[in-house]
Every structure is written in C-alpha cells, then in structure tokens.
C-alpha cells in the first residue's frame, strides 16, 4: 500500500499490519481479562451472589461489546426457557413432555449468514442485533425464507417503538404496504434490554444465577479462542 506525500512515496503496508496486530492483541488481552474476571466470580459467587447479579446486569448495556452482549443474552434466555415445558405428539394418547432448549448456533464474528440461537422443540429462531436498519432485519428474514424470527436488540427503547421505527423506515423504501406487512409479520417477538433484565431476574429466582455465569464463561472461551494458561502448562 503506497501513498504519495509531496514528491516522496511511502509504503505503509507494514505499519498497517503492525496496527492491526496491536489492535488484535489489545482486544484479545481485554477478553482474556474478562474471562478471568468471570472465573474469579465463579469462585466467590457462591458466597456473594449479588456481585454476579451486578456483573451480568452490567453486561446488558447499550455500550457493551456486541459479542459479550450476545453471549450474556444467550446465557440468560437459555435458563429463562429452561424449565418451560410443552406437550407434543402425533397421537393424543401418546404425547411427549419436553423442556424448551435454546442452542447457540454460531459465533458472533463468523459472518456465516447463520441464525444466532435456535430453540427446540418449538423451532424458534433468534437473531441478535444492535442496529435499527430495517434492511438488516429484512435480510435475516429473507435468508430463512420468511420463517418467523425473534430479534434480540441491544437497545433500551420500548419494543413497540423499535418495531415502529423499523416499519417506518421500511415504508420509506417500499411504497407497497403489503410488502412491509409481509416482512413485519415475520417478526415473532422483539426482546430488548429491559426484557432481558426481567428474564434474568426470573431465572435468578428459579436458582440459575451461577449456571448463567458458567454459561457466560463457556461461551466466552469459545468465542474468544481463549486458552487457559494453567491447563497449557500441565
């Protein structure tokens, strides 16, 4: 990569590579410190659960890293749905009783066009986002053939206001109301930060506080390619 300043030519490729490497190292160090903090909370959390609650709630903020927000959202929702049961079957006399299970189906930075969470046995899809650009929502809806989808949005705005903003912005692009209606009808639910806080509190009341933190640690290690130095030395 060459640039010209006056009569002099400079190749800035090496400098750019060094900047990227330093940025990556800084981010990785920050995430490793985050995981270490979580592990320390795992040790003391049994005696001071309030610290875990404050820590998790602190991750549900509009300015938190997007990957951390997705991880903590998944951990909360997994245990919020954990004890909810449905009955299903092909014959009325032979119904199956099954707990709802939420699966995290990809990494936040994979850019693989996938869906973030999937729930069995209902087959619900969840997508985490921090943008209100309607094109992002409609693209997600298109890639699953307009299958109903729940959006987890990193915002403190009321869900009805979020939906209104998406619809209003889409209506400025699509003059045909039926097109906008078709896409909006595919949004099964919107979960915002206040909703996540409420569901976190519900999960805590059910006794899942430590399990939520454990899940945050597990998913963070996978997401950030974290290697435990103590294990490596052994």
């Amino acid at each position: 990569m060459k640039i010209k300043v006056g009569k002099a030519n400079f190749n800035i490729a090496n400098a750019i590579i060094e900047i990227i490497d330093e940025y990556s190292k800084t981010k990785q160090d920050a995430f490793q410190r985050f995981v270490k903090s979580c592990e320390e909370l795992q040790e003391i959390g049994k005696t001071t659960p309030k610290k875990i609650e404050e820590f998790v709630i602190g991750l549900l903020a509009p300015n938190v890293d997007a990957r951390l927000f997705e991880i903590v959202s998944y951990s909360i929702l997994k245990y919020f749905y954990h004890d909810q049961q449905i009955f299903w079957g092909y014959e009325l006399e032979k119904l199956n009783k099954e707990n709802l299970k939420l699966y995290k189906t990809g990494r936040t930075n994979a850019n693989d066009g996938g869906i973030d969470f999937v729930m069995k046995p209902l087959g619900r899809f969840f997508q985490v986002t921090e943008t209100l650009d309607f094109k992002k929502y409609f693209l997600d809806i298109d890639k699953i053939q307009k299958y109903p989808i729940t959006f987890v949005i990193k915002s403190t705005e009321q869900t009805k206001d979020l939906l209104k903003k998406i619809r209003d912005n889409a209506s400025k692009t699509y003059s045909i109301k039926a097109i906008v209606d078709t896409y909006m009808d595919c949004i099964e639910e919107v979960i915002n930060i206040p909703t996540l806080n409420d569901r976190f509190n519900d999960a805590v009341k059910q006794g899942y506080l430590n399990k939520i933190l454990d899940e945050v640690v597990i998913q963070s290690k996978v997401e950030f390619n974290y290697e435990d130095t103590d294990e490596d030395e052994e």
Side-chain angles (χ1 to χ4, degrees):
M1 298 181 65
K2 297 180 179 180
I3 61 172
K4 188 173 183 180
V5 180
K7 294 182 179 181
N9 292 314
F10 299 92
N11 189 333
I12 63 172
N14 288 333
I16 290 177
I17 291 173
E18 289 177 6
I19 291 171
I20 294 173
D21 287 344
E22 187 62 29
Y23 173 80
S24 299
K25 181 178 179 297
T26 301
K27 293 290 283 187
Q28 192 67 21
D29 288 345
F31 289 134
Q32 288 184 351
R33 289 196 299 272
F34 170 78
V35 173
K36 283 294 185 184
S37 297
C38 290
E39 291 176 331
E40 290 171 4
L41 276 174
Q42 284 179 306
E43 294 299 320
I44 67 173
K46 296 174 183 177
T47 55
T48 55
K50 194 67 178 176
K51 286 189 176 182
I52 297 180
E53 291 185 43
E54 293 172 353
F55 177 76
V56 173
I57 290 174
L59 296 174
L60 295 175
N63 61 343
V64 77
D65 181 89
R67 285 180 284 182
L68 294 180
F69 179 78
E70 181 172 322
I71 288 169
V72 74
S73 297
Y74 168 73
S75 302
I76 289 171
L77 293 174
K78 175 180 179 178
Y79 285 100
F80 171 75
Y81 294 116
H82 186 262
D83 280 337
Q84 297 184 33
Q85 297 178 328
I86 68 165
F87 294 85
W88 64 277
Y90 298 100
E91 299 178 33
L92 189 60
E93 296 78 15
K94 297 180 181 179
L95 294 179
N96 302 290
K97 182 173 72 172
E98 191 169 344
N99 286 51
L100 298 180
K101 296 178 182 177
L102 195 66
Y103 294 87
K104 194 171 186 298
T105 53
R107 296 192 181 189
T108 58
N109 58 353
N111 196 26
D112 56 2
I115 294 300
D116 295 325
F117 316 147
V118 173
M119 178 188 286
K120 287 192 67 178
L122 290 180
R124 286 185 64 182
F125 289 172
F126 295 72
Q127 191 78 346
V128 183
T129 183
E130 57 184 338
T131 181
L132 289 180
D133 183 357
F134 80 91
K135 294 179 182 177
K136 168 68 168 63
Y137 294 81
F138 287 14
L139 177 62
D140 287 334
I141 292 168
D142 272 337
K143 69 187 179 187
I144 54 174
Q145 302 294 309
K146 295 183 175 59
Y147 186 87
I149 184 170
T150 293
F151 287 101
V152 181
I153 305 177
K154 192 172 74 168
S155 173
T156 56
E157 291 189 61
Q158 293 186 22
T159 55
K160 64 179 182 180
D161 293 334
L162 293 171
L163 286 168
K164 185 176 184 303
K165 282 186 177 181
I166 297 169
R167 179 182 288 277
D168 289 347
N169 290 333
S171 297
K172 294 175 183 176
T173 298
Y174 296 101
S175 57
I176 302 175
K177 182 177 179 295
I179 294 177
V180 177
D181 289 342
T182 298
Y183 280 99
M184 295 303 297
D185 288 343
C186 293
I187 301 178
E188 189 170 18
E189 183 184 5
V190 165
I191 299 174
N192 61 358
I193 290 175
T195 303
L196 285 170
N197 273 298
D198 290 340
R199 295 187 177 182
F200 172 62
N201 291 330
D202 288 342
V204 170
K205 290 176 183 176
Q206 296 175 47
Y208 293 122
L209 178 60
N210 289 318
K211 287 187 177 293
I212 289 173
L213 180 61
D214 292 344
E215 192 67 38
V216 170
V217 173
I218 292 170
Q219 296 300 330
S220 295
K221 286 184 175 182
V222 172
E223 182 69 37
F224 309 138
N225 299 311
Y226 179 85
E227 295 181 0
D228 194 315
T229 53
D230 294 336
E231 290 180 1
D232 292 343
E233 290 173 359
E234 292 175 3

